[in-house]
Amino acid sequence: MISPGIDAAVFACYNPPSDVVDRIIAVSRAVRMVFVVDDASRTHADELYERLANCDNVTVVTKASNSGIAHSLNLGFVRAMDAGAEYILTLDQDTTVDEGVIALLNGSIDELDAMAPGKWGAVGPGTVNGMRYHRSVAADLCETYEIIQSAAVFSAGALRDVGLADESLVIDCVDTDLCLRLRAGGFGVYVDERIRIAHPIGSGNSIRILGRRVSSTDHSASRRYYIIRNRLLMFRRYGRTEIRWLLISLRRLIVSTILSLTIEQHRLDNLRATGRGVLDFVRGRLGPRPAVRSSDPGNHEPHDGVAVVLVTHNGMTFLREQVDSMLEQVMRPEVIFVVDDHSSDGSREFVVGYVAERGGPRVEIVEGADRTPSSDLFTRIAANFAAGIEAASNYRFIALSDQDDLWESDRLTRQRDRLLSTGALLTVGNGRLIDEEGTPTGLTLRDSFPVLGTWTSASGRLRLRSILRAPMATGAAMMLDRNLVPQGLPIPAGWLHDRWLSLAAAALGALDVDVRPVIRYRVYPAQVVGMRTRTNKPGGQHLSESAARPYRAARKLFDLSVRLRGRAVDPELRRELRLHRLLRTYLSGNVE
C-alpha cells in the first residue's frame, strides 16, 4: 500500500546483483514512483530490468557511459522533481528496505514537518550495519553532520535551494558534501534512532585495535584515490564551520588510510592511489580518476593524448578540407571520433577511407542521436557532440570540430598547452571568418561573440555573469579536459553543446579564453547552425529571448539554478546561480 510522505525513490545501480529487482519491486509497492538509474553496467543488467516491465511506476534510465553515483543521483533527482516529488528516497542497489522502513521514514517526515517546517533537508536511519550515528541520545530524531545517502530522504525544496549532488566528486563524499551543504544553507540533517538498515560497505570486515573495533573496508586502489582526494576537499570546504565534524572525520581518515597501507590487500596500489589523491587535491583536480599505475597487469590506463570529435551530416562539400587541416597539425590527434548524424552522402565512409589513405590516426565511428519529431535541432546537435565526447572521454584532451571549418596548423598544440598551463578544464579560441569559398571576410568570431573586456583580471563571479548574459564561444574552437565530462554532461534539452559547456566550465571557475584565432570559421547561407541561429535562438544569446516559449524558459532557469548550481564548487558562484540572481542578470543592463 502506497502511503503519503515519500513521493519518489531513486536507485543508483552499477553491475547490479540479481536480487536487485526484488528490492526495487518491494520499494515500488510503497512509493508512488521509482527511478532506477544504471551507470553503464558491464553486466547483463538490461535482462534484469526486463522483469520491471510490468511495474507501471518504475522507470529505468540507462546511461551511455559510467560517470559516477553523483551523476546517477542527479538524474534521479531531476526526474523525480520534474514529476512533482517533494520527498525523495535514495537507495544503493545493495541496501534492503521494506515497507516497514519506508513507513517509519514517512513518520520521520511528518515529525520534521511539524517540528521544523521548511528547515530540514535530509533524514535517514539512525543505525546502519549495527553502527549508530550517536551513542546516547534522548530524542528519537536528532541532528547530525552527515548521513549516508542510501535510505536517506531528501527534501526537494531544500535541494532546489542548495543545489544537487556535486558530480565532480564522482563517487566518495557525495553524500557528505550534500549534507554539509544543506547545513550551510540552513537546512537540518537528521537521523531517526528508531530506524535500522543493513548496508554493505567495502568488505565489511572489522578488527580490534587497542580494545576498539575498527572497520576495515578493503576498498580498491581506485576507490582509495577518491576517498583521499574528496575527503581532503571536504575538510577545506567545511572544516572552518564544522569543527567537531572535522576532528571526527580526520581521525577516521587517518585510521582507514593506515589500515589500507598495512593490513589490507593491494597495499602498493593503495599507496600510489593515496599519493595521487593528495597530489590532485593540492592541484585542485576533480572529476574522474586520472591514470593510477597499478601492479595489476590487466589495468587499462586512460590516454594523455588528444582526441578529436567531428560531427558530420552530409558534409561532403567541405569535409576534405577540414580533414586535411586536422592531418596537417603540428601535433596530430591520436584518434578521430566521427559522430555521423544519419548522413546519406557517404560522409563517414569518406572520412574513414581518406584518413587511412593519408596515413592518419585511428578513426572511430559513433552513431548520431536519434531523429525524433519531438527533438529540436539544438538538442539533437548537442546530443551528437555529447555522444562523441563520451566516446572520447578516455583521452585527456578532447578537441571539438564542425564539418565545414578549417584549423590553424598549431591549434591542437596551442590549446593543449593552454589547458596544461592554466589548469582550466575548457579553453575557447578565436576564429577568423571565411566565406563559402574560403575567402577571409576580415571579421573574427569575437566580433559576433564578444568577451568581457576585463576577462583576465575579472573575478569568477563577473566571468560567469558575462557568459550568462551572452555566449562567447563556439564549439568548433573548443578543447576540453576530460575532467569536465562528468560536470558538463548530460547536456539538458534545448541547449547547444557549446553554450552549456562554457557555462559549466565558468561555474567551476575553470574556463580559459584565448584571443588568438585557432580556426577559420566558415559562414555561408546553407549553414544549419551558424552565426544567426547561435545568437538568436533559445539556448543562443539570451535566455530571456525565449520568453515566447515559457516552458522552455522555465526549464532553462531550472537547468541553471538546480543542475548547474549543484556542480559549482565556489560558494560565490553557487550564489550567482540562485534563481533571483539569474533573473537579475538576464534583466539588468550590465554585468558589473
Side-chain angles (χ1 to χ4, degrees), residues 71 115 123 209 211 234 242 384 409 411 441 454 492 508 513 516 520 547 550 557 571 589:
H71 182 249
M115 182 174 69
V123 61
I209 299 178
M234 295 300 101
E242 302 280 13
N384 284 327
S409 62
R411 178 202 170 168
T441 66
T454 58
L508 292 166
V513 175
R516 179 175 161 181
R520 280 163 279 169
L557 285 172

Side-chain angles (χ1 to χ4, degrees), residues 446-520:
R446 289 290 172 262
D447 294 320
S448 296
F449 300 100
V451 176
L452 183 66
T454 58
W455 180 273
T456 303
S457 59
S459 65
R461 180 181 65 85
L462 290 181
R463 289 181 177 185
L464 177 60
R465 290 188 69 185
S466 71
I467 297 171
L468 284 167
R469 284 194 57 77
M472 43 66 67
T474 177
M478 284 182 171
M479 178 184 283
L480 58 130
D481 185 297
R482 65 166 169 254
N483 287 326
L484 181 63
V485 175
Q487 293 92 338
L489 301 185
I491 299 169
W495 293 87
L496 273 173
H497 59 289
D498 42 22
R499 183 80 169 112
W500 180 257
L501 290 174
S502 59
L503 284 166
L508 292 166
L511 177 63
D512 169 65
V513 175
D514 187 6
V515 297
R516 179 175 161 181
V518 295
I519 64 169
R520 280 163 279 169

Side-chain angles (χ1 to χ4, degrees), residues 543-555:
L543 180 142
S544 56
E545 289 176 354
S546 59
R549 301 173 176 83
Y551 173 74
R552 180 172 293 178
R555 281 303 303 266

Side-chain angles (χ1 to χ4, degrees), residues 1-9 27-33 84-89 98-111 113 120 123 153:
M1 176 180 176
I2 296 176
S3 57
I6 298 171
D7 303 295
V27 171
S28 71
R29 296 192 184 107
V31 176
R32 181 162 58 89
M33 46 191 169
E86 285 301 320
Y87 301 113
I88 305 169
L89 171 68
D98 54 24
E99 293 184 30
V101 170
I102 292 175
L104 289 172
L105 286 170
N106 283 333
S108 303
I109 293 171
D110 292 339
E111 290 183 42
D113 281 344
W120 68 274
V123 61
V153 179

Side-chain angles (χ1 to χ4, degrees), residues 258-278:
I258 292 174
L259 294 179
S260 74
L261 302 178
T262 56
I263 68 170
E264 294 183 1
Q265 303 179 52
H266 313 299
R267 291 185 288 275
L268 182 57
D269 289 343
N270 287 342
L271 177 61
R272 290 171 178 154
T274 298
R276 182 62 67 88
V278 172

